[in-house]
Structures are given as C-alpha cells and as structure tokens.
C-alpha cells in the first residue's frame, strides 16, 4: 500500500475510460477514494469541455463526478495568464471550455491587439484563424498553448489536436508557445495547488508515460502508471527510454490500483 497520500491527480481518457466506455473498476475506485476521504481531482488535457461538461461525461458512464473536482488545461492556462498579467486582453483560438475559463479568470476577450493568444483545440480553425494568430504573435502577443496533443481519438477515427494547430502557428511565427498541459508541469502544479498541497505531496495516476507520468515527474510528484491505455508491458521500456522517466509504481489494472491505494 502506498503511504501518506495527501492528494491524487487522476488522468481520464485511458485511465478511467476509453472514449465513452468506463474502464472496469473506475466507479469503484472513485467511490473507494470518497469512502477513505482521500482528496483527488480529475486532471485532463482536454481544453474543449467545461468542468461541468467533463463531470457530466463521467457521470454518464457511471463514474460519480462533480464540477469542482475537474481540472482542465483550459483552467490552468487561464490561471497562468491571469497570474502573470491580471486582467490581460486575450484572443482565444479554442472552444467553450477555454472561453469560459478565461472569462472566469477575469481576462478580457478581444478580437484585436491582444496581449496573449491562448490556443486550444479549435474545430472551427481556418486559414483566417491562422493568419490572425500569426499576425498578433508577430506583433508581440504572448503565445500560450493549452496542451500539445497532436492527435486525438474520436468516434470515427483519429483527428488533429491542439498541438497540431499550435505547430502551424509556431511554424508561421517562429515563436514557441508556453505549453500548459501534460507533459509539461503547469497543469499538474496547478491541480496540486487546487488541492492545497505541494506537488511533492501529490500522486499522479495515468496510463500514458509520455504525458501523465512525464508531467508528474516534471512537477515533482510521485507517479503511478496503470496499464489500461497507451502504455503496455510491451512498450513500457521504450517509453522509459524515450521520456527518461520511471514511474514510482505500476499497476496492471484499476483493481491493482485500488489495492495499492488501500481503497
């Protein structure tokens, strides 16, 4: 059993569900954490959904979730900008989750001469969007990317993610963005602060060595890899070498994770 858990930061897709299907044991894991009063947050790179939307998606699969328990890359990106420049003017290339997060953080959404360009997944992205973003950034706006995911699963196959759009903007401007989501540390550090704990007291749980486990390691958290998604026994050594990171614990499934956590 892992000791002295002050807070868990739980990945979603690949860890608790696949698409719209709950991974066996996810509901029992969450109910067990509640019964043991172990603090946790659902932490996701997804920038499109609002926290309420993420919680609704989880409940629809049978996983008890509340809006206040959801931490998205949009929330962390908005908080990053608001802390750096309170009330800053921002241009959004993204969807409702990002727009709402920026408004709630007290940022001013503008269409011209922004101080920041904040970009997430944007399924209405066009050549005009790319042109405007490139001009704003070239003129001096700071470039913030919610998450670097290049491709995402959808109901009918893989689709480009926020990172692919960000790569186009970076290519056009020569300016690398500040990346908020996993595998960078900002999202995980923000989530730990939401729980009122230091990153060193948090435990990151996820299925992806390149994002979840790397982000936890970069933020100074302990990490638990679950072999329920991207990382498998077959590719684990490859990902260890690729990331230079080794998880603190490895669980084959969520039943093993519950045993490790004592829930």
């Amino acid at each position: 059993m892992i000791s002295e858990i002050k807070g868990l930061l739980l990945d979603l897709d690949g860890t608790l569900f696949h698409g719209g299907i709950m991974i066996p044991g996810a509901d029992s894991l969450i109910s067990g954490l509640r019964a043991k009063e172990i603090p946790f947050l659902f932490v996701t790179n997804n920038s499109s959904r609002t926290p309420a939307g993420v919680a609704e998606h989880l409940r629809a699969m049978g996983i008890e979730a509340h809006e206040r328990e959801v931490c998205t890359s949009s929330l962390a990106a908005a908080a990053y900008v608001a802390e750096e420049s309170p009330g800053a003017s921002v241009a959004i290339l993204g969807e409702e989750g990002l727009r709402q997060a920026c408004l709630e953080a007290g940022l001013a959404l503008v269409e011209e001469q922004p101080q920041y360009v904040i970009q997430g997944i944007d399924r209405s992205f066009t050549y005009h969007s790319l042109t405007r973003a490139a001009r704003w950034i070239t003129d001096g706006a700071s470039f913030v990317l919610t998450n670097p995911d290049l491709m995402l699963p959808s109901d009918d196959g893989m689709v480009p993610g926020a990172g692919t759009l960000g790569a186009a903007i970076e290519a056009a401007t020569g300016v690398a963005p500040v990346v908020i989501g996993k595998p960078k540390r900002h999202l995980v550090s923000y989530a730990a602060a939401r729980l009122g704990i230091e990153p060193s007291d948090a435990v990151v749980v996820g299925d992806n060595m390149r994002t979840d486990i790397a982000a936890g390691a970069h933020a100074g958290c302990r990490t638990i890899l679950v072999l329920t998604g991207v990382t498998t026994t077959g590719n684990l050594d490859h990902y260890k070498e690729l990331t230079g990171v080794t998880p603190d614990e490895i669980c084959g499934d969520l039943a093993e994770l519950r045993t490790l956590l004592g829930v």
Side-chain angles (χ1 to χ4, degrees):
M1 183 185 301
I2 195 167
S3 61
E4 298 179 9
I5 301 172
K6 293 187 179 180
L8 284 177
L9 307 179
L10 301 168
D11 174 56
L12 294 181
D13 203 350
T15 300
L16 299 183
F17 60 79
H18 291 134
I21 301 173
M22 182 183 72
I23 292 173
D27 51 352
S28 300
L29 170 66
I30 299 305
S31 61
L33 294 176
R34 295 190 193 284
K36 290 286 189 177
E37 298 184 342
I38 296 174
F40 68 89
L41 286 175
F42 301 109
V43 181
T44 176
N45 265 4
N46 187 314
S47 67
S48 63
R49 286 193 175 106
T50 64
V54 173
E56 182 179 357
H57 183 62
L58 288 165
R59 289 195 299 271
M61 290 180 280
I63 302 169
E64 184 184 354
H66 307 287
E67 178 179 352
R68 65 181 181 275
E69 297 168 336
V70 176
C71 186
T72 70
S73 63
S74 289
L75 290 175
Y80 171 85
V81 173
E83 181 176 356
E84 190 171 80
S85 301
S89 62
V90 300
I92 300 296
L93 279 76
E95 300 183 0
E96 182 57 27
L98 182 55
R99 183 171 297 275
Q100 179 175 302
C102 288
L103 288 172
E104 291 178 354
L107 302 174
L109 275 57
V110 299
E111 295 293 332
E112 297 295 338
Q113 298 182 316
Q115 293 171 267
Y116 290 82
V117 173
I118 309 180
Q119 181 246 308
I121 192 170
D122 183 356
R123 282 163 282 203
S124 62
F125 191 83
T126 64
Y127 187 79
H128 180 59
S129 305
L130 175 60
T131 300
R132 292 203 303 164
R135 288 175 177 171
W136 289 328
I137 293 166
T138 300
D139 287 344
S142 298
F143 181 19
V144 176
L145 178 63
T146 58
N147 63 288
D149 298 358
L150 295 175
M151 296 294 287
L152 302 171
S154 73
D155 291 340
D156 58 354
M158 300 296 287
V159 297
T164 295
L165 306 184
I169 296 171
E170 181 176 351
T173 61
V175 176
V178 174
V179 179
I180 301 299
K182 300 177 278 188
K184 301 299 184 180
R185 62 177 178 81
H186 296 288
L187 173 57
V188 169
S189 297
Y190 170 77
R194 281 265 305 267
L195 285 179
I197 61 177
E198 294 296 322
S200 57
D201 291 323
V203 178
V204 172
V205 179
D207 71 295
N208 192 326
M209 284 286 294
R210 296 183 69 176
T211 56
D212 310 316
I213 306 306
H218 294 155
C221 304
R222 287 182 289 171
T223 58
I224 302 174
L225 174 69
V226 288
L227 303 178
T228 52
V230 170
T231 308
T232 66
T233 54
N235 62 29
L236 176 57
D237 287 341
H238 167 69
Y239 282 131
K240 283 182 181 179
E241 183 176 352
L242 187 67
T243 61
V245 169
T246 298
D248 293 296
E249 304 283 350
I250 300 175
C251 295
D253 55 25
L254 296 184
E256 280 190 35
L257 177 61
R258 288 185 64 197
T259 299
L260 178 67
L261 299 175
V263 299

